Amino acid sequence: MRTITHWIGGKPVAGGTSTSPVWNPATGQQQAEVPLASTEEVDTAVRTAAAAFEQWSQSSLSARAKVLFRFRELVNGRAQELAEIVADEHGKVVSDALGEVQRGLEVVEFACGIPSLLKGDYSDQVSSGVDVFSFREPLGVCVGITPFNFPVMVPMWMHPVAIACGNTFVLKPSERDPSASMLIAELWAEAGLPDGVFNVVHGDKIAVDALLDHEAVAAVSFVGSTPIARYIHQRASATGKRVQALGGAKNHAVVLPDASLDFAADHLVSAAFGSAGERCMAISAAVAVGSAGDELLARVSEKARAVKVGPGRDPASEMGPVITAAARDRIVGLIGTGAEQGADLAVDGRGLTVPGHDGGFFVGPTVIDRVRPEMDVYREEIFGPVLAVVRADSVDEAIALINANPYGNGTAIFTSSGEAARRFQRGVHVGMIGINVPIPVPMAYYSFGGWKDSLFGDKHVHGPEGVSFYTRAKVVTSRWPQTVERSASGTSIGAEASGSSFHFPTSN
Ligand code: NAD
């Protein structure tokens, strides 16, 4: 059995006796065990990162950018290997995992521009002889706590930006697919990042709580489910840390009758069933407006039945298994509640088997029609390959439905009407919006984040808000009064007059 280690101070560090199994979701077999860090192991990682901060925070912008560029090349060169590690532990197909590596790399590329991103402001002569300028400094030890569904990309929303800003980092990846983070740690070291700047500790609630409570941790970035995001935000804020905690989602795609229904159906199927629906930006609710309903359902159902489900390593597979047997059982149970509560099971993915992979955690693509907001399949974030179809009479009814939902991560509209699209983009209470684009994940130079129960804290990740999150500003007001006589030409110029004044400083 392969045993995974932590990564502390630039090298692998064996964990203690508490461990958790890492499964291969395509076979249902255990393939490794991962240590679950104790409070003491977490303390060692944080103290190592705190010690490394002393020097890394003083490194020049060009020195940091050079490491970032080298890291970018190394990740790019190992992208296939990273994708295969992800496919083996997460279950998603390799081509999808390559896409995740690519989107993570785009954040590294954004962070390569750190010399420009950290440029401050300068105002000359704000008052007579007085100038003002600002610059931003790193925070200290920053922590990332990340979910299972993007084991490369989501941590890369965080650590390249935090490190480029001059912070040091402790990553606590998901214990369900931890191996990609170990290769990333090796690549940082190979890129020349000093020991202790990037560390990985594996673990569960014990490790997370130790990070949240640690006095030397300055900031916490979390991505995961909403109940844990809310908890992380409250507990880390209570100890004075800066926190951004991204939570779960229920992303709606609205399809208007004037849309190309075949185009919409293709994109709905990809967005609902890609990565077995285990994406925070997956479309899990389709809102079919007016006459679009029946034809859309027919096309989506036909395409759902055609999805090739199989192991992530098989190039013929379009969709892999879900992460664990428990996740499969929960999804299957929720599909059952849909039928019990009066929805129509147009395509039922329960009971799907993949030849040669009988033990794998597979659920087939599922389409549930005539779902109503009070049903469990609508209220719960299913996080599996299940698309709920809700019928609505107008775009305004669709907007109201989306706004009544507690989540506000992503949403999309399919239409050929600019007027309807504009009404939608202005009306929905959602952070990321697609117009004829089903998964509107912003590019790395914009920031990613939802609204409402999809994000706790005020800063979104990466892009300008990421740089802002990982730094704090100093504003300097400076004056250089003439206090000495000039002697070069022998001419004597008197020192500037000084004198006390007791009114609040104003410009002159
Ligand atoms: P999760 O909340 O179970 O776990 C996330 C992290 O929190 C993991 O590192 C885990 O070890 C840790 N954790 C779990 N339980 C904990 C507890 N009780 N106390 C402290 N820490 C705990 O999420 P997951 O199942 O790994 O990931 C799926 C979820 O993540 C979905 O809800 C999905 O929508 C969400 N997600 C959101 C985004 C986003 O950008 N908003 C992106 C990806 C995933």
Side-chain angles (χ1 to χ4, degrees):
M1 183 68 60
R2 183 166 59 94
T3 302
I4 296 163
T5 62
H6 305 300
W7 182 277
I8 300 172
K11 57 180 188 304
V13 173
T17 49
S18 180
T19 62
S20 180
V22 179
W23 304 97
N24 180 336
T27 61
Q29 302 292 312
Q30 185 179 347
Q31 55 179 326
E33 63 180 12
V34 63
L36 302 176
S38 63
T39 303
E40 292 71 32
E41 288 170 283
V42 168
D43 181 60
T44 303
V46 173
R47 293 206 179 285
T48 302
F53 180 74
E54 296 299 320
Q55 285 205 339
W56 182 247
S57 60
Q58 300 305 316
S59 59
S60 70
L61 288 170
S62 58
R64 285 186 235 158
K66 282 193 180 91
V67 174
L68 263 293
F69 274 101
R70 282 197 293 267
F71 180 63
R72 190 261 168 210
E73 285 309 298
L74 291 166
V75 174
N76 198 35
R78 306 282 285 272
Q80 180 70 22
E81 192 182 336
L82 273 168
E84 288 170 1
I85 293 171
V86 170
D88 288 348
E89 291 188 356
H90 174 285
K92 65 177 76 174
V93 299
V94 172
S95 57
D96 186 32
L98 269 171
E100 131 165 37
V101 175
Q102 178 56 38
R103 294 306 297 262
L105 261 177
E106 289 168 7
V107 181
V108 181
E109 288 161 3
F110 167 76
C112 285
I114 198 65
S116 297
L117 295 167
L118 283 183
K119 271 158 79 173
D121 293 322
Y122 193 101
S123 297
D124 174 62
Q125 192 78 343
V126 297
S127 183
S128 300
V130 178
D131 306 327
V132 173
F133 59 96
S134 68
F135 59 96
R136 300 190 72 85
E137 289 191 346
L139 306 176
V141 179
C142 298
V143 162
I145 301 162
T146 52
F148 80 84
N149 66 326
F150 284 108
V152 173
M153 182 187 76
V154 167
M156 276 196 189
W157 287 351
M158 306 168 182
H159 56 80
V161 183
I163 288 171
C165 289
N167 300 286
T168 56
F169 203 84
V170 179
L171 173 64
K172 204 304 284 174
S174 172
E175 66 278 27
R176 289 183 263 178
D177 44 16
S179 296
S181 297
M182 299 308 290
L183 179 51
I184 290 294
E186 285 175 33
L187 298 183
W188 269 124
E190 214 181 311
L193 191 71
D195 293 348
V197 177
F198 179 76
N199 307 276
V200 181
V201 283
H202 303 288
D204 57 8
K205 181 171 168 51
I206 291 172
V208 171
D209 286 349
L211 289 166
L212 300 181
D213 295 345
H214 203 293
E215 58 179 10
V217 170
V220 176
S221 300
F222 172 87
V223 176
S225 59
T226 287
I228 311 295
R230 188 182 276 118
Y231 166 77
I232 300 274
H233 183 251
Q234 286 172 356
R235 186 155 177 164
S237 301
T239 55
K241 300 179 190 351
R242 194 175 279 199
V243 194
Q244 52 181 184
L246 283 68
K250 193 81 183 178
N251 305 311
H252 298 63
V254 177
V255 182
L256 299 190
D258 61 22
S260 159
L261 292 187
D262 210 42
F263 178 87
D266 269 336
H267 285 277
L268 279 182
V269 167
S270 320
F273 307 130
S275 196
E278 292 172 323
R279 292 178 181 146
C280 62
M281 291 290 275
I283 293 295
S284 50
V287 186
V289 174
S291 61
D294 291 346
E295 196 183 333
L296 183 72
L297 181 77
R299 292 182 192 222
V300 164
S301 298
E302 186 191 334
K303 291 174 195 290
R305 285 189 198 97
V307 175
K308 295 189 191 74
V309 183
R313 283 281 196 145
D314 182 346
S317 302
E318 294 172 321
M319 187 186 114
V322 298
I323 183 75
T324 54
R328 177 197 56 204
D329 297 346
R330 179 177 168 275
I331 295 162
V332 164
L334 277 161
I335 296 171
T337 67
E340 285 155 27
Q341 292 169 10
D344 296 343
L345 273 184
V347 182
D348 185 353
R350 294 175 295 178
L352 173 118
T353 52
V354 174
H357 289 80
D358 295 340
F361 311 139
F362 291 97
V363 187
T366 297
V367 181
I368 312 182
D369 189 25
R370 301 207 175 271
V371 168
R372 292 191 309 276
E374 64 275 15
M375 294 178 179
D376 290 347
V377 285
Y378 182 80
R379 291 189 308 107
E380 296 278 328
E381 181 187 29
I382 300 177
F383 224 56
V386 180
L387 180 65
V389 180
V390 185
R391 308 289 185 118
D393 289 333
S394 66
V395 66
D396 290 329
E397 191 183 328
I399 292 171
L401 182 74
I402 291 166
N403 289 347
N405 195 281
Y407 298 108
N409 212 41
T411 188
I413 187 167
F414 290 89
T415 181
S416 57
S417 161
E419 188 278 326
R422 188 165 186 275
R423 186 135 48 111
F424 182 80
Q425 79 196 21
R426 301 189 75 242
V428 288
H429 302 164
V430 176
M432 295 171 284
I433 300 164
I435 295 171
N436 297 310
V437 172
I439 308 183
V441 174
M443 298 302 290
Y445 36 91
Y446 284 80
S447 298
F448 179 111
W451 286 17
K452 302 196 286 185
D453 284 359
S454 295
L455 189 144
F456 303 90
D458 7 273
K459 295 283 184 207
H460 292 189
V461 291
H462 65 67
E465 295 202 21
V467 174
S468 168
F469 181 79
Y470 288 122
T471 53
R472 54 186 166 180
K474 274 184 174 165
V475 181
V476 180
T477 303
S478 79
R479 170 158 59 196
W480 295 97
Q482 249 172 242
T483 52
V484 291
E485 290 184 355
R486 281 193 197 142
S487 58
S489 65
T491 316
S492 170
I493 301 172
E496 261 175 41
S498 62
S500 304
S501 107
F502 298 96
H503 62 75
F504 197 68
T506 52
S507 304
N508 56 56

